[in-house]
Amino acid sequence: MASGDEIVTIVDATNRPVGDQPRRLMRERNLPHRATYIFVFDLEGRVLVQRRTATKDLYPGYYDLAAGGVVAAGESFEACAEREAFEELGIRETPLVRRFDFYFGNQHARCFGRAFICVHEGPFTLQAEEIESVRFHSAREIADGLLAPITPDSRYAFDRLMNEGG
């Protein structure tokens, strides 16, 4: 199934499900939905940063500070996080620790996110249609603007994570 045909749950302003729509329509209409954000750290505390492919439906070619994605219809945040960690990076059987829930909205996306963290140093198996490359970076490198542009939703969640003590 093409990613645009995936069925996702649409939610209201209080994160209550109101129906299901194809991902393509969710993007076209900027409908509120749910998404997961998995921050992968190495043993030195650096975060794994992805370079998104030029074919991504949102923020193509940007740096992404988290793995993850849109929660499918009938799927929990936790199941989505486990699925996305495996699909995008090949991470399996690594505990994903829930950190916080948040809302992010702009002219391109409106979502209720759930942030997770894990420690994994690789090797990584990248999902070729979504990720061009990955590399660990320190929070200081990110704060100093070494990487640009960064997806605004992952930056928002990362900043909150860092403010709460990582």
Side-chain angles (χ1 to χ4, degrees):
M1 174 187 309
S3 68
D5 296 328
E6 293 172 351
I7 304 300
V8 300
T9 297
I10 305 304
V11 296
D12 66 13
T14 63
N15 195 18
R16 290 193 184 124
V18 294
D20 299 330
Q21 293 289 329
R23 178 185 176 118
R24 171 182 32 77
L25 291 178
M26 177 267 295
R27 289 283 184 232
E28 287 173 8
R29 299 175 184 165
N30 195 10
L31 299 172
H33 59 283
R34 295 174 175 162
T36 57
Y37 296 77
I38 305 127
F39 295 96
V40 179
F41 292 91
D42 68 6
L43 293 173
E44 295 177 28
R46 299 176 302 170
V47 67
L48 186 70
V49 177
Q50 303 176 18
R51 181 69 185 250
R52 296 164 68 92
T53 62
T55 57
K56 286 291 291 175
D57 64 347
L58 187 62
Y59 307 118
Y62 279 48
Y63 290 99
D64 203 334
L65 305 178
V70 176
V71 177
E75 187 176 44
S76 69
F77 280 106
E78 288 72 18
C80 177
E82 289 177 10
R83 174 178 57 80
E84 291 285 358
F86 179 69
E87 285 178 1
E88 290 185 7
L89 300 172
I91 295 174
R92 156 178 276 162
E93 298 179 15
T94 296
L96 304 179
V97 178
R98 179 181 172 179
R99 291 305 302 265
F100 55 84
D101 291 353
F102 65 95
Y103 175 79
F104 176 85
N106 68 10
Q107 69 273 26
H108 302 293
R110 294 186 296 154
C111 73
F112 288 88
R114 180 163 293 168
F116 298 85
I117 61 169
C118 73
V119 175
H120 197 285
E121 295 201 325
F124 299 103
T125 304
L126 307 184
Q127 186 176 20
E129 58 270 16
E130 294 199 16
I131 303 170
E132 184 178 300
S133 62
V134 295
R135 183 172 171 210
F136 284 105
H137 287 277
S138 69
R140 171 63 28 215
E141 290 172 323
I142 294 166
D144 287 348
L146 179 66
L147 307 169
I150 294 175
T151 59
D153 55 335
S154 75
R155 181 59 190 250
Y156 175 85
F158 182 76
D159 289 346
R160 179 167 169 188
L161 182 66
M162 293 297 100
N163 288 334
E164 293 184 2

